[in-house]
Amino acid sequence: MNLPAILSCLGKKENRPIFHSEADFQFALCQQIAATHRDAKIRLEKCMQVGERKYELDIFVVRGNTKYAIELKYKTKSFEGSINHERYSLKNQNASNLGRFDYFDDLERVGKLVRANLASIGYAIFLSNHSVFWRGNGQGAISEQFNTADGREVEVDQTMSWVGNPSRGSVGASRFGRTIVSPVTTQFQWQEFSNFGNNERRGQVFKFLCNQVGPQNPEVM
């Protein structure tokens, strides 16, 4: 299953180049996977457990003997417009520090599922029209080590943490004091998803980041 190709197809103007919410994106991506691979068995919010940790996985796909664990993030900049005769009014989600951390959290999560043999291949996907995520490296911010900028390189087992020991109130209880360990060596490569005028400042350009973890067994592919 070539998930980047599926995302590129989904983002075409005649399909779903924009979404009202992350749940809207999640459902549309499942529809596109099903249309591309009619043998796919798809679950939403599947409960998975690794050790003492329980996860609700965004999308779980089974094709033959291959199991795919997929986590999604959809972070938006304010945008108003009618696309394909449907009105969209996206909110400005300014918490870039939390968005960066949450993406790495997703990446680590699918990595744990792959290492526990609960999934053959893991994907962490980040879709946004906010260029701060692919252009901003977070330098000087508490999320500097969770930089998601285009071209960022991370190494397997690389440990990342908050800078400056932020308070529980500033990052939330579930993120407070957390470190993230990268499950993969990769270079971040953002790809264009859709474009409504080529003006990033106005939120008219959507890009996606799709990082793969595994397979541990090459025969899975």
Side-chain angles (χ1 to χ4, degrees):
M1 184 169 73
N2 187 335
L3 201 49
I6 291 172
L7 285 162
S8 294
C9 185
L10 179 62
K12 290 181 179 179
K13 187 175 181 180
E14 65 272 17
N15 290 337
R16 289 298 312 276
I18 186 172
F19 307 97
H20 296 286
S21 64
E22 188 170 287
D24 186 21
F25 173 37
Q26 180 187 32
F27 185 70
L29 179 55
C30 288
Q31 289 182 309
Q32 190 65 43
I33 292 172
T36 306
H37 298 289
R38 300 196 180 275
D39 64 331
K41 298 178 181 178
I42 304 172
R43 290 275 305 274
L44 298 179
E45 305 299 332
K46 180 176 172 61
C47 184
M48 311 282 281
Q49 184 164 345
V50 179
E52 298 299 318
R53 288 290 303 274
K54 291 184 179 180
Y55 304 107
E56 289 187 358
L57 186 69
D58 287 335
I59 303 174
F60 186 70
V61 180
V62 178
R63 294 189 63 224
N65 294 324
T66 306
K67 301 175 182 179
Y68 300 86
I70 303 170
E71 287 282 23
L72 308 177
K73 281 291 169 286
Y74 183 56
K75 300 295 184 181
T76 59
K77 186 173 186 176
S78 58
F79 175 84
E80 296 277 348
S82 293
I83 309 297
N84 295 341
H85 309 291
E86 186 172 351
R87 188 71 183 176
Y88 289 84
S89 180
L90 303 184
K91 295 180 179 180
N92 192 18
Q93 298 173 326
N94 290 318
S96 58
N97 288 321
L98 305 187
R100 292 187 182 104
F101 174 91
D102 288 346
Y103 179 72
F104 273 97
D105 189 34
D106 281 354
L107 187 63
E108 183 184 55
R109 178 180 301 188
V110 297
K112 287 180 177 179
L113 294 173
V114 171
R115 288 182 176 179
N117 292 317
L118 296 175
S120 313
I121 300 171
Y123 284 105
I125 299 169
F126 197 160
L127 176 63
S128 182
N129 66 334
H130 207 319
S131 62
V132 67
F133 292 114
W134 62 80
R135 294 196 184 279
N137 59 16
Q139 187 172 3
I142 60 174
S143 61
E144 183 174 350
Q145 292 187 20
F146 303 113
N147 167 21
T148 58
D150 191 55
R152 165 79 191 273
E153 296 181 357
V154 294
E155 301 290 333
V156 65
D157 294 330
Q158 179 178 340
T159 301
M160 292 154 283
S161 58
W162 295 107
V163 175
N165 298 316
S167 67
R168 183 185 298 268
S170 64
V171 298
S174 65
R175 306 179 187 91
F176 179 70
R178 291 269 313 278
T179 59
I180 299 291
V181 179
S182 173
V184 67
T185 295
T186 188
Q187 182 179 49
F188 287 5
Q189 296 180 334
W190 288 82
Q191 301 178 53
E192 186 167 290
F193 183 77
S194 57
N195 192 323
F196 308 118
N198 208 36
N199 191 324
E200 291 184 3
R201 292 185 178 181
R202 294 184 177 179
Q204 296 174 346
V205 179
F206 281 80
K207 292 190 177 186
F208 72 88
L209 180 63
C210 181
N211 281 300
Q212 177 180 325
V213 180
Q216 295 189 96
N217 178 3
E219 294 181 0
V220 167
M221 298 297 286

